[in-house]
């Protein structure tokens, strides 16, 4: 369960990419961004510092700047907000550690004016602006083209520094012929066509399976990328384990403890949150997961039961509890809980999809089939609605043109029918 949590929520950002988006204002570096947003910090802490890494500070302004840049277009659910906020902070922590390593390794990079020009021109192209239009937009924020180019150069310098430091921090990646062969067999399994099958069927099976040499390069690249990602993850984990990291945001501190398997600390901190008058259901889930990490399964189940009494309509909570019950091989209880969710699911696409996944995991095939049929039905409805919207968005001129084209087709056909009739 915890591996799944980490795989789905952990985002490692090695290079902080600055998003230049101009729409009524310049959204860019923290120095030019109004500091807005809640933090969940303790009242007596320094409000300007959200975390410290080996004595290096991460400011609230730096954090909220990246938080805004990385924010998804759609609203996040309560179960997604804390992991998202933590991932952004974790990216800044990792960046601090990498830049510190760069100093120790003596990494020195250069950025040419041609590289700055290329990035600057990309900004103009992406925003469909001229130099003067960009200058005017920046001026409204008290910002100049010269400052922008300096910041671009600084960003490129950091990017190159981080990339080179990572390359020096991990060992050279090797890919063996055996690994390539194993992935080939997994990706393109041999047909089980018996010798007695027809020649046509055999030829078809052979056509569908490429020769190893045809796909060797792609398979090797895939394996190399996987190994490289794992090596970087391991290297960053070692850096963080040996680092002195303090997170001043109470919620993110508790989640950090849970993510890093400091279950005693996570239990203590999340226990405080669930006792607050205006608490949130997600804190109960995290507390239960922390108990599970301690192998205290009775307390984990007790926490879920208490949470559902307090938040009887919260489906995320019920899904988490059902997954926990499944891991404890209490399948009947889990299915009963999922049935409650299904009874009130109405037309929620994601709810039915999650029901399908968990019912399947629990071996409730009929219920899983019913859920996937609902998913397919809702998917078709959404597609039809989208097509209707596209039709409604056609301009009157487009509709008139289509009508005139149709009339022309009719006029061409009419004389032919008259001649044939005569």
């Amino acid at each position: 369960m915890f591996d799944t949590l980490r795989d789905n929520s952990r985002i490692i950002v090695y290079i902080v990419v600055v998003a230049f988006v101009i729409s009524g204002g310049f959204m860019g570096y923290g120095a030019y961004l109004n500091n807005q947003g809640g933090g969940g910090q303790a009242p007596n802490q320094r409000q300007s510092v959200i975390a410290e890494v080996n004595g290096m500070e991460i400011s609230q302004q730096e954090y909220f700047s990246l938080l805004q840049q990385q924010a998804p277009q759609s609203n996040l659910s309560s179960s997604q907000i804390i992991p998202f906020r933590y991932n952004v902070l974790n990216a800044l922590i990792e960046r601090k550690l990498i830049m510190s390593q760069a100093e120790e390794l003596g990494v020195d990079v250069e950025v040419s004016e041609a590289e700055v020009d290329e990035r600057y021109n990309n900004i103009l192209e992406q925003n469909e602006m001229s130099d003067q239009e960009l200058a005017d937009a920046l001026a409204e924020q008290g910002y100049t083209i010269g400052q922008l180019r300096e910041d671009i150069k600084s960003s490129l310098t950091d990017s190159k520094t981080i990339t080179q430091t990572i390359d020096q921090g991990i060992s050279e990646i090797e890919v063996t012929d055996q690994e390539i062969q194993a992935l080939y067999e997994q990706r393109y399994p041999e047909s089980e066509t018996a010798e007695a099958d027809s020649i046509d069927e055999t030829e078809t099976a052979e056509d569908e399976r490429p020769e190893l040499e045809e796909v060797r390069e792609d398979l090797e690249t895939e394996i190399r990328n996987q190994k490289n990602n794992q090596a970087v993850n391991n290297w960053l984990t070692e850096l963080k384990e040996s680092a002195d990291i303090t997170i001043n945001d109470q919620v993110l501190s508790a989640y950090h403890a849970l993510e890093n398997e400091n279950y005693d600390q996570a239990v203590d901190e999340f226990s405080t949150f669930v006792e607050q008058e205006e608490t949130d259901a997600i804190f109960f889930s995290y507390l239960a997961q922390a108990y599970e990490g301690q192998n205290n399964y009775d307390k984990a189940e007790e926490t879920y039961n208490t949470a559902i009494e307090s938040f009887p309509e919260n489906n995320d909570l019920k899904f988490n509890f059902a997954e926990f019950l499944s891991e404890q091989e209490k399948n009947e209880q889990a299915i009963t809980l999922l049935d409650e969710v299904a009874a009130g699911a109405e037309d929620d696409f994601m709810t039915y999809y999650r029901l399908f996944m968990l019912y399947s995991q629990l071996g409730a095939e009929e219920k899983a089939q019913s859920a996937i049929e609902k998913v397919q039905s809702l998917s078709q409805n959404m597609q039809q609605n989208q097509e209707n919207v596209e039709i409604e968005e056609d301009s009157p001129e487009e509709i008139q043109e289509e009508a005139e084209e149709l009339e022309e087709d009719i006029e061409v056909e009419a004389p032919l029918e008259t001649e044939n009739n005569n």
Side-chain angles (χ1 to χ4, degrees), residues 142-267:
Y143 197 44
T144 66
I145 293 290
Q147 289 172 310
L148 172 60
R149 290 182 65 88
E150 284 299 316
D151 282 345
I152 290 173
K153 186 172 184 178
S154 177
S155 176
L156 290 172
T157 300
D158 286 352
S159 297
K160 282 188 169 185
T161 299
I162 290 170
T163 300
Q164 188 170 324
T165 304
I166 290 173
D167 289 342
Q168 292 186 26
I170 63 176
S171 304
E172 185 176 352
I173 304 299
E174 296 182 357
V175 179
T176 66
D177 290 339
Q178 290 81 1
E179 290 171 326
I180 295 173
Q181 182 69 37
L183 182 57
Y184 173 71
E185 297 294 344
Q186 177 187 344
R187 186 68 48 78
Y188 308 103
E190 268 193 276
S191 172
E192 296 181 357
T193 305
E195 294 181 1
D197 286 347
S198 67
I199 296 176
D200 289 341
E201 288 178 344
T202 304
E203 289 177 350
T204 300
E206 290 175 353
D207 290 342
E208 292 175 353
R209 190 184 197 224
E211 294 294 330
L212 174 58
E213 292 307 314
E214 295 176 28
V215 294
R216 171 183 287 275
E217 185 176 346
D218 290 340
L219 296 177
E220 181 177 352
T221 299
E222 182 177 341
I223 295 169
R224 189 177 302 279
N225 288 341
Q226 290 175 348
K227 283 190 166 187
N228 187 77
N229 290 340
Q230 187 60 55
V232 173
N233 288 346
N234 294 340
W235 179 68
L236 286 170
T237 298
E238 291 175 4
L239 288 180
K240 284 188 285 188
E241 286 177 348
S242 61
D244 181 12
I245 300 172
T246 302
I247 298 177
N248 296 322
D249 182 294
Q250 292 177 333
V251 172
L252 297 185
S253 175
Y255 190 79
H256 177 74
L258 180 64
E259 281 284 276
N260 289 275
E261 301 181 0
N262 299 325
Y263 299 122
D264 292 345
Q265 179 186 342
V267 166

Side-chain angles (χ1 to χ4, degrees), residues 20-221:
F20 295 93
V21 180
I22 300 175
S23 56
F26 176 73
M27 308 293 290
Y29 297 92
Y32 311 100
L33 181 67
N34 291 328
N35 187 4
Q36 299 177 347
Q41 294 179 294
N44 61 347
Q45 75 173 73
R46 300 203 311 278
Q47 294 296 319
S48 61
V49 178
I50 192 170
E52 297 173 63
V53 185
N54 290 336
M56 299 176 288
E57 296 181 346
I58 298 176
S59 69
Q60 287 275 19
Q61 191 170 8
E62 184 180 6
Y63 171 65
F64 283 116
S65 176
L66 183 58
L67 194 70
Q68 186 167 0
Q69 291 174 26
Q70 299 292 329
Q73 296 297 318
S74 58
N75 293 331
L76 296 174
S77 69
S78 62
S79 63
Q80 296 171 319
I81 291 172
I82 294 174
F84 169 71
R85 291 183 60 222
Y86 175 76
N87 291 333
V88 171
L89 180 59
N90 192 48
L92 290 172
I93 290 171
E94 290 175 348
R95 185 177 185 278
K96 290 286 186 186
L97 290 171
I98 294 171
M99 295 303 283
S100 178
Q101 280 290 299
E103 289 185 17
E104 291 184 19
L105 295 171
V107 174
D108 186 23
V109 301
E110 293 183 358
V111 175
S112 68
E113 283 302 308
E115 291 174 298
V116 175
D117 289 340
E118 182 181 0
R119 179 66 63 85
Y120 175 78
N121 290 330
N122 286 340
I123 295 170
L124 293 176
E125 183 178 344
Q126 290 168 6
N127 291 282
E128 299 180 350
M129 303 179 81
S130 66
D131 286 284
Q132 188 58 51
E133 289 172 330
L134 177 58
D136 292 342
L138 296 177
E140 292 178 3
Q141 307 295 320
Y143 197 44
T144 66
I145 293 290
Q147 289 172 310
L148 172 60
R149 290 182 65 88
E150 284 299 316
D151 282 345
I152 290 173
K153 186 172 184 178
S154 177
S155 176
L156 290 172
T157 300
D158 286 352
S159 297
K160 282 188 169 185
T161 299
I162 290 170
T163 300
Q164 188 170 324
T165 304
I166 290 173
D167 289 342
Q168 292 186 26
I170 63 176
S171 304
E172 185 176 352
I173 304 299
E174 296 182 357
V175 179
T176 66
D177 290 339
Q178 290 81 1
E179 290 171 326
I180 295 173
Q181 182 69 37
L183 182 57
Y184 173 71
E185 297 294 344
Q186 177 187 344
R187 186 68 48 78
Y188 308 103
E190 268 193 276
S191 172
E192 296 181 357
T193 305
E195 294 181 1
D197 286 347
S198 67
I199 296 176
D200 289 341
E201 288 178 344
T202 304
E203 289 177 350
T204 300
E206 290 175 353
D207 290 342
E208 292 175 353
R209 190 184 197 224
E211 294 294 330
L212 174 58
E213 292 307 314
E214 295 176 28
V215 294
R216 171 183 287 275
E217 185 176 346
D218 290 340
L219 296 177
E220 181 177 352
T221 299

Side-chain angles (χ1 to χ4, degrees), residues 216-367:
R216 171 183 287 275
E217 185 176 346
D218 290 340
L219 296 177
E220 181 177 352
T221 299
E222 182 177 341
I223 295 169
R224 189 177 302 279
N225 288 341
Q226 290 175 348
K227 283 190 166 187
N228 187 77
N229 290 340
Q230 187 60 55
V232 173
N233 288 346
N234 294 340
W235 179 68
L236 286 170
T237 298
E238 291 175 4
L239 288 180
K240 284 188 285 188
E241 286 177 348
S242 61
D244 181 12
I245 300 172
T246 302
I247 298 177
N248 296 322
D249 182 294
Q250 292 177 333
V251 172
L252 297 185
S253 175
Y255 190 79
H256 177 74
L258 180 64
E259 281 284 276
N260 289 275
E261 301 181 0
N262 299 325
Y263 299 122
D264 292 345
Q265 179 186 342
V267 166
D268 289 342
E269 296 188 12
F270 281 119
S271 292
T272 301
F273 296 143
V274 300
E275 291 169 2
Q276 294 175 354
E277 185 175 348
E278 294 185 3
T279 188
D280 191 284
I282 193 61
F283 293 144
F284 285 92
S285 286
Y286 292 148
L287 177 58
Q289 290 166 16
Y291 279 130
E292 188 178 355
Q294 292 179 325
N295 296 324
N296 193 342
Y297 302 115
D298 290 340
K299 285 293 291 183
E301 186 167 350
E302 178 185 327
T303 299
Y304 276 124
N305 281 318
T306 300
I308 288 178
E309 288 178 8
S310 301
F311 301 93
E313 304 300 321
N314 191 292
N315 284 341
D316 283 336
L317 195 56
K318 292 178 181 178
F319 278 124
N320 290 339
F321 191 16
E323 186 170 350
F324 167 81
L325 291 170
S326 172
E327 292 173 353
Q328 302 306 306
E329 298 183 355
K330 298 181 178 181
N331 290 6
E332 290 186 8
Q333 286 179 250
I335 291 172
T336 299
L337 197 60
L338 294 178
D339 289 344
E340 292 179 16
V341 175
E346 297 182 349
D347 289 335
D348 189 290
F349 179 89
M350 283 308 300
T351 297
Y352 278 107
Y353 180 75
R354 294 176 73 180
L355 284 168
F356 162 70
M357 295 296 290
L358 277 172
Y359 275 138
S360 298
Q361 180 180 320
L362 292 163
E365 298 300 334
E366 290 186 9
K367 295 178 185 289

